[in-house]
Amino acid sequence: MPDFDLVIRNARIVDGTGTPWYRGDVGVRDGKIEHVGALPSGVPCASEIDAGGEVLAPGFVDMHTHNDFLLLKDAETVPKLRQGVTTIMIGQCGISAAPIEGDKVPLLDAYTGFVKAGVKPEWNWRSFAEYLDVLDGLDLGVNVGSFVGHGTIRLNVLGFEDRLPTSEELGKMRNLAHTAMKEGAFGMTSGLIYPPGVYSTSEEVEEIARGLKDRQGLYLSHMRNESSEVVKSVGETIAAAEKAGIPGQVLHHKACGRKNFGKVRETLALLEKARERGVDMTVDQYPYAASSTTLRSILPPWVHEGGLEKLMERLRDPALRERMKKEILTTENWENMLMSSGGPEGVMVVYSPETPQFEGKKLPEIGEAMGRDPLDAAFEVILANHGSDTACYFMLDDEDVKYVMRHPLVMVASDTIPSAPGAKCHPRTNGTFPRVLGKYVREEKVLSLEEAVRKMSGFPATRLGLEKKGFVKAGMDADLVLFNPDTVIDGATFESPFGEPKGISHVFVAGKLAIKNGEFTGVTSGKVLRKS
């Protein structure tokens, strides 16, 4: 029996496969799981922990975060570690930090204000590989992998122009996707409600996605519509993957707006049929009945054309403002976030650094404070914050959330939009994983413990092709989480989004103890992951 760096005894092992838990011990050496099963007492080891019957699971894999810039300031990523997360993926919803042409840096810098979390990046990279190299130089608390964003790719070639690309421009975009794959991207994401992705056709996305094929990159989409056209949009996502011959995934799946509740049954049936004919489709989801994105998402697509400065110019034009208000309140031929939220009362501002007095307040409250109509108040907040604005949209059905969560094609992911210092955020940033284990496993019994852990570990790790992560098995990386299934729960709420989780005692990254008794140890042993 070899000497171990770490031995964890008397654990209830939930191994990430979905099979029933079993009692056992785990031995770790050189950052790897060396032994799973019974270990004799007295086996030589540098450190030993008695789990006392708590659950030992693989470290959770968060498939969906927008921490691309936050990592430059907060590489330790403690809020993720406290949730048991040991691997995160970035570059989501069509927005990645790279690649970026030098003359397009100001456009991307302005546009990404809502995910920069107050960080002022040096932009000391241009290629996707150079960006990963910058991350490599950080003391990462968790493992980090990245997708390349279709929106970022399009911005490099077309800026924020609302037009079809030429064949030459389309070829350049496809090559940018292909090059990012060669440099370590795990695939490409799209954000088809956001500029510049909103200006692209299905055919454009399909053609660019062909740049992923030779390395079987994953195509993930924040779809064109998650409300009245959600079924059609799932079909568009399936078609892109099918025509490009690559695996696909629907991001943060939901049906927005009361009259669309229940449509997730149709969309998941559509995904099942796609798999039956051989299209490799999966889904991720966050466990909340409210979404979060930019406050600017309440604006019709034409307002965004030309980039942030043009948007601000249009918001200052009284005649255009009236046109915007009319379209927001009466039209649905676009992803109308305000209408799906039931009106202004369903929209809460959570990040507006130039107007912090409005953070945590809904649009009617802000309008009352300003003495203005709620929509005019929203326009003023957008203008004042010049690209740095986020909001929560209360537009989902909890029964739909549960229905999607139960489906075997669905994995757990947070869709983290990080907050700047002093600002609020959606509680999913700090509560997603313990919320599933506490609320939806223990309290409401929507999932079994084993299935929930599979959806957080083995399933996403396998989807990403991470051969050494996601399972408690010999030979795997020793990314592990120890938690009490009787007490684990999220502490974050919409009112207090930074509440810490309870019941997660120890978290290990590469066999090193990062969280001890719920507190960060200062140990950083995360790595940058590149698709092989």
Side-chain angles (χ1 to χ4, degrees):
M1 189 68 65
D3 291 355
F4 294 109
D5 299 321
L6 169 69
V7 167
I8 302 173
R9 293 190 179 277
N10 190 27
R12 211 186 313 180
I13 297 173
V14 180
D15 66 8
T17 65
T19 56
W21 66 267
Y22 59 93
R23 291 195 181 275
D25 309 324
V26 169
V28 173
R29 184 172 60 169
D30 296 332
K32 302 288 184 184
I33 298 172
E34 188 83 13
H35 179 87
V36 180
L39 283 169
S41 60
V43 65
C45 65
S47 177
E48 183 170 310
I49 293 174
D50 184 352
E54 288 192 350
V55 169
L56 182 68
F60 304 142
V61 178
D62 191 343
M63 277 285 284
H64 192 142
T65 80
H66 292 277
N67 286 21
D68 310 52
F69 298 100
L70 180 66
L71 288 166
L72 302 175
K73 180 185 73 173
D74 180 17
E76 295 171 341
T77 325
V78 176
K80 289 298 175 195
L81 287 167
R82 284 200 173 108
Q83 295 179 65
V85 173
T86 56
T87 296
I88 67 170
M89 299 300 296
I90 57 177
Q92 293 289 353
C93 296
I95 307 163
S96 59
I100 186 64
E101 301 283 346
D103 64 328
K104 297 297 195 302
V105 166
L107 283 178
L108 188 58
D109 184 65
Y111 179 65
T112 54
F114 75 105
V115 293
K116 285 195 299 188
V119 175
K120 296 181 179 178
E122 296 179 27
W123 295 102
N124 53 336
W125 64 83
R126 291 294 175 266
S127 70
F128 196 84
E130 288 169 348
Y131 172 68
L132 293 185
D133 287 344
V134 169
L135 296 186
D136 249 336
L138 306 175
D139 293 325
L140 297 171
V142 299
N143 304 299
V144 180
S146 183
F147 298 97
V148 64
H150 161 257
T152 298
I153 287 172
R154 196 178 208 271
L155 182 148
N156 275 282
V157 178
L158 295 173
F160 284 94
E161 294 183 50
D162 181 3
R163 66 172 175 85
L164 294 173
T166 65
S167 58
E168 181 181 352
E169 289 167 337
L170 194 57
K172 184 175 181 181
M173 288 191 282
R174 185 179 59 249
N175 289 337
L176 284 171
H178 184 257
T179 299
M181 287 295 302
K182 289 196 296 184
E183 294 176 348
F186 283 80
M188 180 179 78
T189 69
S190 64
L192 302 181
I193 74 161
Y194 302 117
V198 69
Y199 307 129
S200 62
T201 63
S202 300
E203 292 75 20
E204 174 188 316
V205 175
E206 291 161 9
E207 184 58 31
I208 297 171
R210 294 182 198 278
L212 314 179
K213 185 172 182 181
D214 66 345
R215 292 174 182 263
Q216 278 297 287
L218 180 61
Y219 170 64
L220 310 94
S221 183
H222 180 148
M223 303 182 300
R224 206 173 294 277
N225 190 290
E226 294 180 314
S227 51
S228 58
E229 299 292 326
V230 65
V231 178
K232 180 180 177 182
S233 292
V234 167
E236 180 184 19
T237 306
I238 293 168
E242 189 167 15
K243 291 178 181 178
I246 56 174
Q249 183 153 315
V250 174
L251 292 175
H252 45 54
H253 191 34
K254 53 190 174 288
C256 303
R258 182 172 295 277
K259 68 181 180 180
N260 301 306
F261 291 174
K263 285 186 177 180
V264 292
R265 287 159 175 77
E266 296 177 59
T267 58
L268 288 166
L270 197 62
L271 288 156
E272 290 168 1
K273 289 178 181 176
R275 288 190 65 86
E276 286 171 7
R277 66 174 185 269
V279 189
D280 186 2
M281 296 298 301
T282 49
V283 180
D284 66 55
Q285 177 207 37
Y286 51 79
Y288 295 87
S291 69
S292 183
T293 185
T294 63
L295 181 59
R296 303 192 302 283
S297 293
I298 67 171
L299 302 174
W302 61 267
V303 183
H304 300 266
E305 185 182 357
L308 190 63
E309 295 305 324
K310 286 291 185 182
L311 181 150
M312 298 292 168
E313 186 179 312
R314 293 181 184 112
L315 277 176
R316 295 185 187 100
D317 185 317
L320 291 180
R321 270 200 187 211
E322 288 306 309
R323 177 185 167 190
M324 292 176 209
K325 287 168 70 173
K326 182 177 179 181
E327 290 187 19
I328 290 168
L329 294 172
T330 62
T331 62
E332 294 186 82
N333 59 342
W334 52 289
E335 184 72 295
N336 191 325
M337 303 287 283
L338 186 129
M339 191 173 287
S340 289
S341 301
E345 63 276 7
V347 182
M348 175 192 287
V349 172
V350 294
Y351 174 45
S352 56
E354 299 303 319
T355 54
Q357 68 272 26
F358 299 139
E359 292 176 353
K361 298 186 184 302
K362 294 186 176 180
L363 293 185
E365 296 177 81
I366 298 172
E368 186 175 346
M370 286 187 177
R372 310 191 69 143
D373 168 88
L375 273 180
D376 274 320
F379 297 162
E380 291 302 318
V381 171
I382 293 168
L383 280 168
N385 289 280
H386 205 81
S388 295
D389 53 73
T390 59
C392 288
Y393 297 89
F394 294 84
M395 56 184 179
L396 310 182
D397 177 37
D398 194 51
E399 290 305 311
D400 278 3
V401 171
K402 294 175 188 178
Y403 185 86
V404 172
M405 188 180 293
R406 289 187 188 99
H407 200 282
L409 291 181
V410 178
M411 64 191 74
V412 175
S414 72
D415 191 11
T416 289
I417 298 178
S419 64
K424 290 183 180 290
C425 60
H426 193 297
R428 67 193 184 194
T429 296
N430 301 297
T432 288
F433 294 86
R435 179 176 176 84
V436 171
L437 294 170
K439 177 178 172 64
Y440 292 105
V441 173
R442 184 181 64 250
E443 295 176 0
E444 301 193 16
K445 298 179 171 45
V446 175
L447 296 173
S448 70
L449 176 62
E450 292 86 352
E451 180 64 0
V453 169
R454 181 189 77 87
K455 287 173 176 285
M456 299 176 180
S457 56
F459 185 7
T462 301
R463 191 61 169 153
L464 291 165
L466 300 176
E467 297 177 354
K468 297 295 183 181
K469 298 191 183 296
F471 301 100
V472 182
K473 291 188 175 296
M476 305 298 286
D477 292 341
D479 298 340
L480 300 164
V481 55
L482 194 61
F483 64 89
N484 186 334
D486 299 325
T487 62
V488 63
I489 195 68
D490 56 316
T493 65
F494 286 97
E495 295 73 27
S496 300
F498 302 103
E500 295 177 6
K502 297 177 182 177
I504 296 176
S505 59
H506 294 71
V507 180
F508 304 86
V509 180
K512 301 293 176 61
L513 185 59
I515 297 292
K516 181 179 181 181
N517 297 323
E519 297 299 324
F520 180 51
T521 64
V523 174
T524 54
S525 47
K527 303 290 184 186
V528 172
L529 307 176
R530 294 171 172 83
K531 184 173 174 64
S532 59

